[in-house]
């Protein structure tokens, strides 16, 4: 996939026609599909599990399936999501007391290992594992729901992640998730974000395909 890349989040999709919604995205050139897994404990919402991820993979076998685990004890579910077709698995720093080991465990399955930090979590907390991470997700909303507003402090965090990566020669992708839309996507990408998640902006649009094209266009403008 060519960076920066748009990653539509299916949390906001119409679940009466999930496959169609996903294909409307891939038809418009979206190469990633972002799957938000919520357990009602780490975040105050319950979304879906491995069976829906498998359905998404079936609907778009060529897509890069990006699984975002907003759940307690994520280690217990890594294998299930790998089997469901995940190409990357992102865990939250805030749910992993043994984060270095968790990352190694994910990598053992041959999928990309991502680490997400919430808006109130400092980057210094994950500094020790930045060399091991394939992807770092700076949350631009408080996790749990789509349709929230982008937290502006995220711009500096994206720049900081890019600075550290270049300074240390790390290779993680920089991902941003939450409140990304037509108005801010260009600025978010300019700050250094390489994988931009968009849920409601895509799936609440009049026409999904057109909106994916519009967002992708703004990404590379
Ligand atoms: C929030 C999720 C985000 C969310 C993005 O907890 O991690 O992926 O679905 O949705 P929008 O783009 O609507 O903020
Ligand atoms: Zn997400």
């Amino acid at each position: 996939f060519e960076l920066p890349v748009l990653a539509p989040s299916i949390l906001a999709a119409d679940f009466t026609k999930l496959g169609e919604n996903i294909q409307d995205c891939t038809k418009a050139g979206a190469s990633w599909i972002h799957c938000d897994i919520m357990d009602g404990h780490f975040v105050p919402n319950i979304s879906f599990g491995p069976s829906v991820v498998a359905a998404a993979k079936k609907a778009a076998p060529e897509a890069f399936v990006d699984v975002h685990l907003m759940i307690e004890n994520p280690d217990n579910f890594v294998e299930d999501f790998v089997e469901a077709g995940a190409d990357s698995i992102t865990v939250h720093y805030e749910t992993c007391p043994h984060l270095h080991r968790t990352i190694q465990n994910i990598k053992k399955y041959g999928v990309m290992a991502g680490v997400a930090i919430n808006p109130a979590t400092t980057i210094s907390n994950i500094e020790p594992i930045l060399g091991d991470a394939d992807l770092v997700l700076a949350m631009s909303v408080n996790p749990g729901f789509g349709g929230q507003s982008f937290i502006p402090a995220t711009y500096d965090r994206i720049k900081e992640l890019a600075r550290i990566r270049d300074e240390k020669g790390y290779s993680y992708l920089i991902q941003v998730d939450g409140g990304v839309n037509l108005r801010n996507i260009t600025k978010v990408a300019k700050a250094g974000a390489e994988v931009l998640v968009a849920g409601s902006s895509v799936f609440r649009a009049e026409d999904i395909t057109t909106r994916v094209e519009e967002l992708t266009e703004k990404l590379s403008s």
Side-chain angles (χ1 to χ4, degrees), residues 9 34-36 68 70 137 139 177 197:
S9 161
H34 183 81
C35 298
D36 285 312
H68 176 191
M70 289 165 274
L137 167 50
M139 289 302 294
D177 182 5
V197 177

Side-chain angles (χ1 to χ4, degrees), residues 93-94 99 115 117-131 136 157 160-161 163-164 168 170 172:
Y93 155 80
E94 300 87 356
L99 181 55
V115 177
I117 47 174
N118 282 338
T121 299
T122 57
I123 292 172
S124 58
N125 279 303
I126 58 169
E127 192 104 48
I129 54 86
L130 288 177
V136 175
R157 286 158 66 84
E160 172 70 358
L161 284 168
R163 187 189 62 72
I164 296 169
K168 306 266 184 164
Y170 294 152
Y172 52 82

